[in-house]
Amino acid sequence: MPPSSLTPALRSLAALLLFVLAATACSTVSDRSTPDPGKPGASRAGGHEQPVLAYVQPQKRAVMLADATGRTWQAVRTGTKAPDHFAWSPDGRRLAWTDPVEADTTGRLHILDVTTGKEVSHACPCHGIGFLGADAVSLASDGSALLTFAATGDPQRIPLARSKGPYALLATGGSDDAIVFTPLPEGPGVFRGQGTIDAVDRRGRIRPLLPAKSPSTLAEAWRAPDGKAVAWADSDSGGACWTVSTLHSHSGAAGRPRRLLPADTAFRQALIDDQRSITSAAWAGKGMTVTFSGLQSCNAPYPGRAVSYYVSDGKWTFLGTGLLGVALGADGRTARLRDDAEADATRVLTGTLTLVSAGQEHRLANGVSTFLFTPAESAAAKPPAAVGQPPGAAVVTTDDHGKPLQDSVLKLARRIEEAAAAGDTEALVRLCDSCRPSVQDWIRRATGPSDILKAIRAHPGRNGADAVVYPGLAFCADEPGKEATCTPQQLRDVAVLGMKHESDSEFGGWTYLPSAVGIVPLTVAFEENGEAHWTGLAAG
């Protein structure tokens, strides 16, 4: 009987049989990743503990493991391209990932038993990876079914109640259902990259997590250790340098998602409201760790622009700056990924990964792109202590390029600050006793003290060899590699002074001008003997 004469039901059954037979025939089992027992941290048989952390080194094309003592070993070599994401099984015995799809391949799904070192590989024309209960799961590339891969037995196909189409993605798994993101075509009320977010169970039933007519973007998703609650990073974009990422969480049951975004001093001073990405996030007990940063190719880079937090029940705990990511495990274990400033031929953002365990910090590896504690480690994490916030508005000790200021300049600046904060115009006039009468009249204005206070709390710029001007910022561009790229000190001033950015056609990014908030520059000159004097206003 030719295929065209089969009934729809028989055609579906035939397709299922063909998928299972092909996947079984193409599956391979390998123990090529079994560690050498003579090497440190090789395996439990070699006298080492169960791994608590997995990470990827793209340049070495390797998935690595680490135990609670900080010992590491290679779990498996990957293909020419290392995985972007991977998932732990709920019991922490297996890791699953898919190969990044090449133009001429359908991709493969890999499942590694970390206790034996054996890897099982399946042909998988599929999108995304996770675990549905104990089974690895992905979404068929045509969006018509979930594909599940048990530890033993053949792969299974679970048809969806409604096909999600070829651009849908399995974002993460779960205990009873998996999360699927489906992009929508642009149109009225739908912008580029927006789509639906649904939970799909083992019967193929689809349950929306978003309210009707409320599409969202989704860049990455994370399921809670118990497989219930889910969080995701959106990635609203209006172009290459107009991407804004925000964290959202959902109970996984009924209800609406919750939008999560910090609003503390550290976040404000990072200047990433309009241009930000989420570089890392992970569940930790009942909350999550998350790192926000500026856009690497679009913003002037410096450590303070990457801010890390722990968030639980809408409450934010600041964990520090300068990290690409942070995750929490059991017994106070903390993994941190710091920018290693090394060129990566894969053009993947990588850093140096460290593990704090039993009060000691272990350097695990550099060139790490992603890392993940086991579900048991993540579930046992406790809320961390907060790190102190960056200093707010106050007289600073360096100029606008980070060079120390003379003690006499600092002493005078603090006296000016004290008088301005108190609104004491006559004290300010005395401090500016050599100024022209017109400048002293400007000081006595009702807004004089507040204007002076703004300027004196900014970083000054050098005005020749014998003077500085508060603020030093006249113009800077928030874009890397430019002659006038903002320094870290200038960006701090932008945040503290509440300056707004402007779009600049020449630089193609954000620019900042102090005149936008009415800041009049103040000149402080110093003599050969080091004595400093407030000589008036700069540039009239």
Side-chain angles (χ1 to χ4, degrees), residues 319 323-328 334-338 352-356 361 371:
L319 300 181
L323 299 176
L324 298 178
V326 58
L328 308 178
T334 304
R336 295 184 179 91
L337 187 65
R338 294 181 174 87
T352 297
L353 182 65
T354 61
L355 175 68
V356 175
E361 184 173 28
F371 62 102

Side-chain angles (χ1 to χ4, degrees), residues 364-401:
L364 302 185
N366 60 4
V368 174
S369 59
T370 186
F371 62 102
L372 189 64
F373 275 121
T374 64
E377 284 284 310
S378 298
K382 303 296 183 184
V387 171
Q389 290 283 326
V395 168
V396 295
T397 60
T398 65
D399 66 16
D400 60 349
H401 283 72

Side-chain angles (χ1 to χ4, degrees), residues 210-255:
L210 299 177
K213 298 182 180 180
S214 299
S216 175
T217 55
L218 184 147
E220 190 172 356
W222 306 271
R223 207 69 187 256
D226 64 3
K228 301 297 184 182
V230 63
W232 65 87
D234 64 11
S235 187
D236 294 332
S237 177
C241 289
W242 295 71
T243 298
V244 182
S245 293
T246 303
L247 186 68
H248 300 263
S249 67
H250 195 288
S251 68

Side-chain angles (χ1 to χ4, degrees), residues 12 15-16 19-20 140 142 144-148 155-159:
S12 297
L16 173 60
F19 166 76
V20 172
D142 64 358
S144 65
L146 294 181
L147 309 179
T148 61
Q156 300 295 314
R157 180 182 177 91
I158 304 173

Side-chain angles (χ1 to χ4, degrees), residues 57 69 141 267 288 295-296 312 319 388 418 454 471 491 511:
Q57 290 181 284
T69 69
S141 57
F267 191 81
M288 291 191 72
L295 305 181
Q296 293 288 319
S312 180
L319 300 181
E418 181 181 3
K454 286 180 185 177
L491 288 175
T511 61

Side-chain angles (χ1 to χ4, degrees), residues 7 12 19 75 83 98 133 148 170 177 180 217 242 245 270 277 286 294 307 329 379:
T7 64
S12 297
F19 166 76
T98 56
T148 61
L170 186 132
D177 49 38
V180 173
T217 55
W242 295 71
S245 293
S277 64
K286 296 181 179 180
V307 284

